[in-house]
Amino acid sequence: MSNSKTKTICFTNNKGGSGKSTACANLAYELSKAGKKVLLIDGDMQLNLSLSFFDEEKVLDMAECESNLYYAIRGKKDLKDYIVPTAYENLDLVPSSTLMSQIEYELFTMMQREYVLKKCLKGVYESEIYDYVLIDAPPTLGTWVINILCAADYVIVPVEASPWGLFGLANMFDFLTGMNEMTEAKIMGVLITKVDERKNYYKQTREILGAYENIHVFDSFIHVDSSIEWAQDASVPVAVYKKSTRSAKEFENLAKEVIEYGSR
């Protein structure tokens, strides 16, 4: 784990559509509201985390210039020089690029390729400016995700409450277990997302997850909520779009759980 006050949390699931970027963005906002200084890292070429805080034109500008995560990793640069402030106090972002589609090739040519991101974060950790670094990983299990896990202290695995939501989850856990010699990252918990109480999938999902030994499932879960989509369309956190919506309160509760976990 990083030898600083900064806690690094990776959001990962090898299945797309789990609500990973949404959870990462809204947890970050709620942590910042609670007075925590947060750095977000958009590790996915789909740019969804960046789009959660900036409009499409700005995100594409950041993706097409050389001040983004791709160029930092390719050049093994200090990520402190690639940080962009968001519109919210205590909340900053290292933006992504569509060129992240090439990052596996770039890493293949590097020595100690699994630890490039961790080394790029050294200056961030040494500065001790941030309480949390939250990283949105792509839905893959390649060398880049290994990089993210090697830089992380904790892992949050979002899982959709649906018939296919748990598909491949056992492989995900096996992958994380197999990395024990490379990283000290621990699974902080599984976050159940896209819950629709008109259906029985939430109960089924929680029961199946309960069968895994030593896997914590957050008490907080995230309902299906049209306000989330409207907030994404507006490039703002859901609590900014509509503070009274149910999902805003759920992300606030999740932040409380994460803070409590970190204080153990």
Side-chain angles (χ1 to χ4, degrees):
M1 294 190 178
S2 56
N3 295 318
S4 77
K5 75 164 190 174
T6 307
K7 298 176 179 66
T8 301
I9 304 173
C10 160
F11 285 73
T12 187
N13 190 329
N14 56 318
K15 181 185 179 302
S18 64
K20 177 174 52 61
S21 301
T22 300
C24 184
N26 285 281
L27 173 60
Y29 176 73
E30 293 298 337
L31 289 171
S32 72
K33 264 179 49 184
K36 305 298 182 182
K37 185 76 173 174
V38 183
L39 175 63
L40 285 163
I41 298 178
D42 189 351
D44 193 345
M45 62 170 283
Q46 297 179 75
L47 314 178
N48 288 338
L49 188 62
S50 301
L51 286 165
S52 299
F53 296 96
F54 298 97
D55 63 36
E56 184 175 342
E57 182 179 0
K58 175 66 174 177
V59 169
L60 291 176
D61 284 345
M62 293 189 294
E64 291 169 2
C65 72
E66 296 190 5
S67 296
N68 57 53
L69 182 63
Y70 172 76
Y71 286 99
I73 297 300
R74 192 178 78 164
K76 299 182 182 180
K77 302 294 187 180
D78 190 332
L79 278 180
K80 290 205 312 295
D81 299 327
Y82 294 79
I83 293 171
V84 177
T86 71
Y88 309 104
E89 187 178 2
N90 295 327
L91 187 54
D92 298 330
L93 170 77
V94 175
S96 189
S97 168
T98 52
L99 291 174
M100 289 298 290
S101 60
Q102 304 174 26
I103 202 64
E104 296 282 337
Y105 171 78
E106 299 287 354
L107 290 168
F108 184 74
T109 63
M110 298 180 186
M111 297 293 291
Q112 293 190 309
R113 63 181 69 97
E114 297 88 357
Y115 302 101
V116 176
L117 175 59
K118 186 173 184 177
K119 292 175 181 177
C120 290
L121 277 164
K122 184 180 178 183
V124 172
Y125 294 146
E126 289 177 346
S127 72
E128 296 195 337
I129 292 171
Y130 296 99
D131 298 293
Y132 291 94
V133 173
L134 271 54
I135 309 175
D136 185 24
T140 64
L141 295 178
T143 305
W144 173 233
V145 172
I146 291 174
N147 248 267
I148 294 172
L149 291 168
C150 285
D153 299 313
Y154 303 106
V155 179
I156 291 178
V157 183
V159 170
E160 179 184 3
S162 72
W164 292 349
L166 293 168
F167 185 77
L169 191 63
N171 289 339
M172 180 83 227
F173 289 150
D174 288 344
F175 180 78
L176 293 171
T177 300
M179 285 191 58
N180 281 347
E181 293 184 4
M182 298 173 63
T183 176
E184 296 180 23
K186 298 178 181 179
I187 298 176
M188 181 182 286
V190 175
L191 174 66
I192 303 176
T193 65
K194 302 185 180 180
V195 173
D196 185 344
E197 290 180 325
R198 295 170 299 180
K199 303 172 184 177
N200 200 36
Y201 299 131
Y202 169 68
K203 183 179 178 182
Q204 292 175 359
T205 300
R206 189 168 279 279
E207 286 176 352
I208 292 169
L209 289 169
Y212 286 97
E213 292 185 9
N214 303 318
I215 298 295
H216 172 68
V217 180
F218 287 107
D219 292 333
S220 303
F221 57 90
I222 312 301
H223 279 91
V224 170
D225 187 346
S226 61
S227 292
I228 292 177
E229 294 181 356
W230 287 112
Q232 290 169 340
D233 188 56
S235 297
V236 298
V238 66
V240 173
Y241 175 76
K242 189 176 181 181
K243 186 177 181 180
S244 62
T245 193
R246 177 166 58 178
S247 58
K249 183 63 177 177
E250 290 165 350
F251 283 119
E252 181 182 5
N253 290 337
L254 176 63
K256 291 175 182 177
E257 283 195 69
V258 168
I259 292 170
E260 182 181 355
Y261 186 98
S263 64
R264 293 176 185 175

